[in-house]
Amino acid sequence: MSKHIYIFSPSSSIRDKAAFRRGVARLKALGYEVEVDEAALAVHQRFAGDDATRLASISRAAASGADIALIARGGYGLTRILDAIPYKAVAKAIQRGTEFVGLSDFTALQCALLAKTGAVTWAGPAVGEDFGAEGGADDIMEACFDDLVSGQGEGTGWRMPVRDAGLKLKPVHDATLWGGNLCVLTSLIGTPYFPAVEKGVLFIEDTNEHPYRIERMLEQLRMAGVLAKQRAIVFGQFTGMRKVPGYDRGFGFDAVVDRLRATLKVPVLTGLPFGHVQTKVLLPVGAKVELAAEGRDVFMVWGHQHGHHEHDHDHAQAH
């Protein structure tokens, strides 16, 4: 019985139609039954259809009964419809076994859903950028996606950069994993859609942001009291950073991380393979995780607690 994937466009319109077609073809080649939402290719201004159209597509994804509801692409568009999203219907769909997967702008829906219902979604690939990548889809990403679809995924691991070799981390148990795109996340502070997660593991990524903008967003999260309440902050990939030659001097991404470490008691880890990069893992937003490190090697484990296994409280322990 092949697994059913429902593709929908809740954010920006698809600009690279060739990549989208490649992505759909790749998913079919992997043996999935692929259903594309009727408005997936809609265009209104910069959006994939007007607000009502995109809201309807989210409702259709929730009603699809698919194993996976996968976004066509990110961009911008969910923030402006957060007040109208049918959160109960989406949470019910997740309870029935549909896993919602996406990244970037999708962070807005993921955070709002977590804040409103506690439902778990997955930070992961989009159709066009990832499955439709010009050089072919990434092996690790596809393996992680297959793990999710087959119910095998129980965690992930990565090596931190050499400069973090001396970092000490006390093992973290039973902490809620949350976060996503830093810019989208920060824009939700002070709204009902910002999850009030305490003692969590907050992961962040972003693209095309100058290091000072990254620091400014982190400072907002810090001064709002969000960062000090976490058990760990995990940096994913920050891509497309443009420093100003001859002006930024020693101020770059490393300086941002170092300053955050100096101002926070909470451990700050780096190198998580997630963000606007081809090689990305899938992460259960809102699930309980264990986090441990040995030297530069970090292990994050979530066991069987996502979606329809939420009654299963046998936490997998990372040994």
Side-chain angles (χ1 to χ4, degrees), residues 114 158 169 171-180 197-204 229-235 266-267 269 272 283-292 298-301:
L114 181 57
W158 72 95
L169 174 75
V172 172
H173 301 288
D174 210 31
T176 300
L177 179 69
W178 69 297
V197 177
E198 299 194 7
K199 299 191 170 123
V201 172
L202 173 64
F203 74 96
I204 48 173
K229 288 183 185 150
Q230 306 309 313
R231 300 284 300 282
I233 314 296
V234 182
F235 278 79
V266 180
L269 310 181
L272 172 72
L283 301 165
V285 176
K288 295 283 194 215
V289 297
E290 320 278 328
L291 189 67
V298 186
F299 308 93
M300 191 190 291
V301 181

Side-chain angles (χ1 to χ4, degrees), residues 18-19 37 45 79 83 156 178 230 260 262-263 280 317:
D37 184 76
Q45 294 172 346
T79 305
D83 286 339
T156 190
W178 69 297
Q230 306 309 313
L260 188 64
T263 50
K280 60 167 71 75
Q317 297 293 326

Side-chain angles (χ1 to χ4, degrees), residues 8-15 46-48 54 71-78 102-107 125-130 276:
F8 66 116
S9 300
S11 302
S12 289
S13 59
I14 295 169
R15 284 165 75 177
R46 62 176 297 126
F47 307 104
R54 298 194 324 285
I71 63 165
R73 63 157 298 189
Y76 166 70
L78 279 162
L103 81 165
S104 196
D105 190 58
F106 198 59
T107 299
V127 176
E129 291 95 321
D130 293 301
H276 289 68

Side-chain angles (χ1 to χ4, degrees), residues 144-202:
C144 293
F145 187 78
D146 183 64
D147 280 349
L148 168 62
V149 177
S150 60
Q152 300 301 307
E154 298 191 349
T156 190
W158 72 95
R159 292 207 90 178
M160 288 190 289
V162 176
R163 71 186 293 270
D164 290 342
L167 202 70
K168 295 278 178 277
L169 174 75
K170 283 194 194 118
V172 172
H173 301 288
D174 210 31
T176 300
L177 179 69
W178 69 297
N181 181 268
L182 178 60
C183 187
V184 176
L185 180 75
T186 307
S187 70
L188 297 175
I189 291 178
T191 73
Y193 308 113
F194 190 83
V197 177
E198 299 194 7
K199 299 191 170 123
V201 172
L202 173 64

Side-chain angles (χ1 to χ4, degrees), residues 95-119:
Q95 234 172 349
R96 289 194 305 265
T98 298
E99 308 284 13
F100 278 74
V101 180
L103 81 165
S104 196
D105 190 58
F106 198 59
T107 299
L109 191 149
Q110 296 184 289
C111 286
L113 192 66
L114 181 57
K116 289 281 182 197
T117 73

